[in-house]
Amino acid sequence: MDERFDRPVVTLGLRGVPHFAREAMRAIYGHVVERRASSLSRAEVTAYFESRSATDDSFDDLTDSSSWTYQRLLECAPVRAVLATSDPDAGVVDYGCGRGALRGVIKALSSNHLYVGYDIDRFAISRHAGAGGRAAFTTTLPVLQFGVAFLVNVLVYTSDVELDAVLDEVMSLLAPDGALIVVEPWPAWYWETCFAGLRLRMREREKVDAALAQRGRHLVDRATLALFGWRGHAIAPIAWLGVWRPS
């Protein structure tokens, strides 16, 4: 595995430049043309994703949870450390799993972990029917508690009004000593945040940390995905990752 994964900054290099430029152009278009305000309710977000899943529309965004760029970030050292120290039978829950790309990452890093993917997108979940093995997908919030919970690109699609409810749901899925891994786009002007009548909510890691501190969790590890890195600094950051454990 690339040695850069052992550092706090995971870089894309020249391969990511065309994708980065395309996202910046989308962002400019969104800010200029797609400016309609949105409450970003769960119903609106569900309708958006289900319409794309129903037509098998591909998600090619640089900051999409199933993109090759996010795969690199999700394979970084902090994630590997959590999986290496967690009980495979305690399982992993992927809150907002979408197309289940995280399952492949976990299987590659730790093939023994039980995986449960949860999403409100019925069409995306239906594609996983009969997944078999140690994997299951559901549109119903699990009643189990897991050793690890992933929250990948969920908060950016969550309104300020519903943020507390989403975080409380995720916390209800975690065992008392469980680890929470959150991945979100880095707040910056060059991301497309206005499209299809939606206006996304970009949040800094520090703001999420403050909300989780109120729920008895503290940040223990982190990583940053960036276009380039220099002496440990992120140049054109793309996404952030944080690992929270009980205080």
Side-chain angles (χ1 to χ4, degrees):
M1 184 172 291
D2 194 322
E3 65 175 347
R4 289 174 295 180
F5 286 16
D6 294 327
R7 301 173 186 175
V9 178
V10 179
T11 60
L12 300 181
L14 292 176
R15 181 187 175 191
V17 172
H19 302 275
F20 188 90
R22 182 177 61 185
E23 287 289 343
M25 292 301 295
R26 286 177 173 177
I28 294 171
Y29 176 85
H31 291 309
V32 173
V33 179
E34 293 271 356
R35 295 182 297 176
R36 183 174 69 84
S38 167
S39 63
L40 202 64
S41 68
R42 186 170 294 198
E44 289 175 312
V45 173
T46 301
Y48 167 71
F49 279 105
E50 287 192 342
S51 66
R52 294 190 66 170
S53 297
T55 58
D56 200 25
D57 188 11
S58 62
F59 292 79
D60 60 351
D61 305 336
L62 191 64
T63 56
D64 180 68
S65 59
S66 61
S67 66
W68 66 274
T69 56
Y70 261 39
Q71 301 303 294
R72 290 177 67 85
L73 181 57
L74 289 166
E75 292 172 351
C76 70
V79 175
R80 289 188 278 121
V82 168
L83 293 177
T85 56
S86 64
D87 180 2
D89 291 328
V92 169
V93 61
D94 184 5
Y95 185 103
C97 66
R99 300 191 174 194
L102 180 61
R103 179 194 177 196
V105 175
I106 293 174
K107 193 172 182 179
L109 297 179
S110 179
S111 59
N112 293 326
H113 273 77
L114 170 68
Y115 170 91
V116 175
Y118 162 73
D119 204 288
I120 55 179
D121 181 346
R122 298 166 299 165
F123 293 101
I125 293 298
S126 67
R127 297 180 186 278
H128 301 297
R134 288 172 63 81
F137 294 87
T138 179
T139 56
T140 302
L141 192 70
V143 294
L144 302 173
Q145 288 190 315
F146 298 82
V148 183
F150 280 85
L151 196 61
V152 181
N153 266 28
V154 173
L155 300 184
V156 70
Y157 285 97
T158 303
S159 69
D160 295 335
V161 174
E162 296 181 332
L163 179 62
D164 283 337
V166 168
L167 291 178
D168 288 341
E169 278 192 354
V170 175
M171 295 305 300
S172 73
L173 299 175
L174 266 178
D177 60 345
L180 172 61
I181 298 176
V182 181
V183 181
E184 288 286 305
W186 192 281
W189 69 266
Y190 41 75
W191 297 134
E192 182 185 25
T193 57
C194 302
F195 55 88
L198 302 178
R199 184 182 296 275
L200 305 190
R201 306 293 193 269
M202 307 288 263
R203 294 183 172 90
E204 298 174 348
R205 180 165 41 203
E206 291 73 16
K207 290 186 178 180
V208 176
D209 183 35
L212 290 173
Q214 297 176 355
R215 293 164 172 81
R217 301 278 161 163
H218 70 283
L219 184 65
V220 297
D221 211 345
R222 68 188 71 193
T224 302
L225 177 68
L227 199 58
F228 301 104
W230 184 75
R231 295 185 177 181
H233 297 283
I235 300 175
I238 294 169
W240 59 261
L241 178 147
V243 179
W244 281 266
R245 290 189 179 275
S247 301

